[in-house]
Amino acid sequence: MELSMPFFRLTNIISGLVVNIPPKFIMGIGNMLGTFMFCINIPHRRITRRNLKFAYPDWTYKQVKKRSKDVFQNIATTVLELGQMYFFSREDMLNKAEYSGVENFVRAYKHNRGVIIVSAHMGNWEMIPMISPHIFKKTISYINIMLKSNHFARRTYNRERSEPIRQLH
């Protein structure tokens, strides 16, 4: 889903507003915001339904409609969570993330081997370069595709710049 500059300006405003909202309320607010966007953003609602129907041809219209709304709610919740994430301290970041497979990283590092992490695009990859240096106590390098939105790329880069990482595009 192509997102516009006004959307990313809105994320700046949202970041300032959501930073102190307890996580248990973020999901409910995200669901309400996602439902609102689902109702008013007809072109993206159609694209979402078409994509889901293509990906899941056996789904009924009712299933596609329900999941379409879920997609919007998930995106809105993720945007709110990302808005909070930019204000997390290192301790917050380490405490809020869920780790699995860390032993594989440690084993690879001890044997002077590299690790490739493949991640979903939104809401996940942003955390990898922010958390990894604190787990391994080493500078890490990562490669990502340059974001289409210069604003969002700058926002992400500025947050990550304070971490011991090297970013390659």
Side-chain angles (χ1 to χ4, degrees), residues 38 45 49 52 59-71:
F38 177 78
R45 184 172 65 214
R49 285 184 180 161
L52 286 172
W59 281 9
T60 66
Y61 175 77
K62 189 175 182 180
Q63 288 172 303
V64 170
K65 186 176 177 183
K66 166 74 172 104
R67 289 296 174 200
S68 297
K69 185 177 175 185
D70 291 348
V71 167

Side-chain angles (χ1 to χ4, degrees), residues 16-142:
L17 297 174
V18 301
V19 68
N20 292 316
I21 297 175
K24 64 182 178 181
F25 296 121
I26 289 292
M27 176 86 61
I29 295 168
N31 285 343
M32 287 187 293
L33 182 61
T35 300
F36 175 72
M37 293 304 296
F38 177 78
C39 292
I40 67 167
N41 194 339
I42 295 168
H44 284 111
R45 184 172 65 214
R46 288 181 183 145
I47 291 168
T48 303
R49 285 184 180 161
R50 184 176 58 232
N51 289 345
L52 286 172
K53 190 63 179 163
F54 178 77
Y56 302 99
D58 296 338
W59 281 9
T60 66
Y61 175 77
K62 189 175 182 180
Q63 288 172 303
V64 170
K65 186 176 177 183
K66 166 74 172 104
R67 289 296 174 200
S68 297
K69 185 177 175 185
D70 291 348
V71 167
F72 278 76
Q73 290 173 333
N74 187 354
I75 289 172
T77 301
T78 300
V79 167
L80 294 175
E81 289 172 340
L82 288 174
Q84 285 190 322
M85 186 176 73
Y86 287 112
F87 297 98
F88 284 174
S89 67
R90 289 181 176 146
E91 293 75 30
D92 288 339
M93 194 64 86
L94 290 167
N95 291 332
K96 293 186 187 288
E98 198 173 297
Y99 312 102
S100 64
V102 173
E103 65 282 356
N104 298 323
F105 286 91
V106 172
R107 188 171 47 254
Y109 181 77
K110 285 181 180 177
H111 290 92
N112 248 357
R113 302 189 72 189
V115 175
I116 297 174
I117 301 171
V118 179
S119 173
H121 62 87
M122 193 168 83
N124 294 291
W125 68 265
E126 300 92 344
M127 293 188 77
I128 294 168
M130 289 188 240
I131 293 174
S132 299
H134 306 294
I135 295 173
F136 304 110
K137 310 292 188 246
K138 300 288 179 194
T139 298
I140 65 162
S141 297
Y142 78 101

